[in-house]
Amino acid sequence: MSWFRNLIQLSTIKRSPLKPTKSIVSPSLTQLLQFSTESESAATRQGGLGPTKGDEKPRVVVLGSGWAGCRLIKDIDTKMYDVVCVSPRNHMVFTPLLASTCVGTLEFRSVAEPIGRIQPAISREPGSYFFLANCTGVDFQNHAVHCQTVTDGVDIPDPWSFKLSYDKLVIASGAQASTFGIKGVKEHAIFLREVHHAQEIRRKLLLNLMLSDVPGVSDEEKLRLLHCVVVGGGPTGVEFSGELSDFITRDVHQRYAHVKDYIRVTLIEANEILSSFDDRLRQYATKQLTKSGVRLVRGIVKDVQPRKIILTDGTDVPYGLLVWSTGVGPSGFVNSLEVPKSPSGRIGVDEWLRIPSVQDVFSIGDCCGFLESTGKPVLPALAQ
């Protein structure tokens, strides 16, 4: 059995030592994962990108991947600057079309654009990176930002912390939804600002349609399950209400004929819908919404409970789906920054979008506003 003898010979041959191979880890990841000491615990480990050297391009760190941040990243000259983007999401969301994805008019991939496609240098240039992380603090004196990786839903012990040095810093972290301190909003309502919000609305809407068709469900429960309540008569609330009414007319009446008479949409606004727009546009929107079957209610929400909301006049409004769209305000990160603020609580900037109290730091988008000393009003959120 010659093949067996050959096999024995091969197994007894002394192997030569393995030659060192090049690391398969990219330079950016290797640099990011350098730690000060090996004995430190996972909670205190910290790597990062150090200050740029004389022969390197200046580094521009952009916090945020929204409208303002992505516009800057797209137009910046990467032959002159290295770009580092830090954001908890790796894409930009085209928010005006987000409401259409909730009812299937558009798919979710149609309203999201990857950061690497907006600025290709982030994916291929050695000094430009994108880091999926939140900024936890800024050291203006030492020109550094402290970040922590986003680990939602990932089964790892602790998020990684790291530090990035910058030559120029642009804060474009945006704003967060305003709840006005109303109890139960964050627990029971769904906002409409990110793709996962639209996915949750779509899932809940279809689930309620299915549940309401189950035998034995009372008429009262059907009315609750299929009552879609939108709080906030701004552009997002009006747009979503219109998309929802179209979905009911075109799809629900055909595919869910047994429960088509139970589903309805209510839009609750404290004042008038689209209050920041021209009066003719408000009248047109009111007429179109009413014509399409949307019920307009003027009131202020006092409390949000799992199955109903309570208005200040004592009215109970049962709901199966609650979408909260009452505008935006400064985020917790913006509030934590020790810089001058505009009258609305946003980061104060001058005419050139600089933060006057610190060097080499700018702020753009919804997270900033003009200081009182400039004599200029804050630009509206829909300026783009």
Side-chain angles (χ1 to χ4, degrees):
M1 301 177 66
S2 59
W3 65 270
F4 184 72
R5 286 193 297 271
N6 292 336
L7 179 63
I8 296 297
Q9 291 175 357
L10 288 173
S11 64
T12 57
I13 294 175
K14 185 177 181 180
R15 295 183 180 180
S16 60
L18 291 175
K19 296 181 179 180
T21 57
K22 293 184 178 180
S23 172
I24 62 173
V25 182
S26 64
S28 63
L29 189 57
T30 303
Q31 191 175 11
L32 180 63
L33 296 180
Q34 290 176 345
F35 304 112
S36 56
T37 59
E38 293 294 332
S39 61
E40 289 178 330
S41 64
T44 60
R45 290 176 181 175
Q46 190 172 77
L49 300 178
T52 54
K53 300 178 182 179
D55 58 344
E56 296 177 336
K57 293 182 287 187
R59 181 185 299 142
V60 178
V61 176
V62 181
L63 305 179
S65 58
W67 284 86
C70 286
R71 182 65 187 183
L72 174 65
I73 293 171
K74 179 180 180 181
D75 291 344
I76 199 168
D77 188 354
T78 54
K79 295 180 181 178
M80 297 179 60
Y81 298 96
D82 285 330
V83 183
V84 176
C85 179
V86 179
S87 176
R89 67 182 188 195
N90 66 345
H91 58 275
M92 174 195 168
V93 179
F94 193 82
T95 46
L97 294 179
L98 198 58
S100 300
T101 64
C102 299
V103 294
T105 305
L106 291 175
E107 281 303 315
F108 300 109
R109 64 179 179 270
S110 301
V111 301
E113 187 76 4
I115 301 298
R117 193 178 298 170
I118 295 173
Q119 178 48 265
I122 286 178
S123 303
R124 63 190 184 203
E125 294 294 332
S128 297
Y129 316 109
F130 170 81
F131 296 128
L132 190 72
N134 284 311
C135 180
T136 57
V138 181
D139 186 352
F140 296 111
Q141 185 175 359
N142 296 314
H143 277 53
V145 294
H146 298 272
C147 306
Q148 191 175 71
T149 55
V150 177
T151 57
D152 292 342
V154 181
D155 188 18
I156 63 175
D158 295 300
W160 300 107
S161 296
F162 58 96
K163 183 172 68 173
L164 304 174
S165 296
Y166 64 83
D167 295 295
K168 303 289 182 182
L169 174 64
V170 181
I171 302 174
S173 55
Q176 67 179 8
S178 297
T179 63
F180 304 103
I182 299 174
K183 182 182 177 182
V185 174
K186 292 183 179 180
E187 293 79 5
H188 308 301
I190 304 175
F191 304 102
L192 188 53
R193 296 181 55 78
E194 303 289 347
V195 171
H196 65 87
H197 293 151
Q199 291 172 331
E200 176 63 15
I201 291 172
R202 189 167 170 175
R203 184 198 66 81
K204 184 123 186 191
L205 180 60
L206 293 177
L207 177 64
N208 288 348
L209 281 166
M210 297 292 184
L211 291 177
S212 63
D213 211 10
V214 173
V217 178
S218 65
D219 290 347
E220 183 181 0
E221 182 64 7
K222 287 183 180 180
L223 286 171
R224 185 194 69 81
L225 283 170
L226 297 180
H227 189 197
C228 304
V229 177
V230 182
V231 180
T236 303
V238 170
E239 177 71 17
F240 177 70
S241 299
E243 289 282 356
L244 201 53
S245 64
D246 288 344
F247 170 69
I248 292 171
T249 303
R250 298 177 182 178
D251 296 297
V252 174
H253 284 185
Q254 295 179 4
R255 301 181 186 180
Y256 302 93
H258 298 108
V259 295
K260 66 179 182 180
D261 296 329
Y262 294 91
I263 189 167
R264 63 199 193 282
V265 183
T266 298
L267 176 59
I268 300 176
E269 168 57 40
N271 299 306
E272 295 185 8
I273 64 170
L274 302 179
S275 57
S276 60
F277 288 78
D278 184 76
D279 185 59
R280 290 174 298 175
L281 185 57
R282 291 201 301 269
Q283 293 178 2
Y284 176 80
T286 301
K287 180 180 178 181
Q288 291 298 317
L289 289 175
T290 305
K291 183 179 179 180
S292 61
V294 177
R295 177 178 170 232
L296 302 178
V297 175
R298 182 171 294 187
I300 300 174
V301 178
K302 181 178 68 173
D303 187 22
V304 177
Q305 299 180 4
R307 291 174 170 244
K308 66 179 181 180
I309 61 176
I310 302 175
L311 305 183
T312 52
D313 61 1
T315 304
D316 291 352
V317 183
Y319 68 87
L321 172 66
L322 177 61
V323 177
W324 195 269
S325 176
T326 58
V328 296
S331 65
F333 169 69
V334 169
N335 290 330
S336 69
L337 295 177
E338 296 181 357
V339 295
K341 304 294 175 59
S342 70
S344 60
R346 307 181 189 193
I347 298 172
V349 295
D350 60 15
E351 296 91 335
W352 294 276
L353 301 177
R354 301 175 301 187
I355 302 178
S357 60
V358 291
Q359 291 184 340
D360 299 321
V361 183
F362 303 80
S363 186
I364 57 179
D366 289 351
C367 66
C368 69
F370 287 124
L371 291 167
E372 288 183 341
S373 58
T374 63
K376 296 184 178 182
V378 177
L379 292 175
L382 297 179
Q384 65 270 13

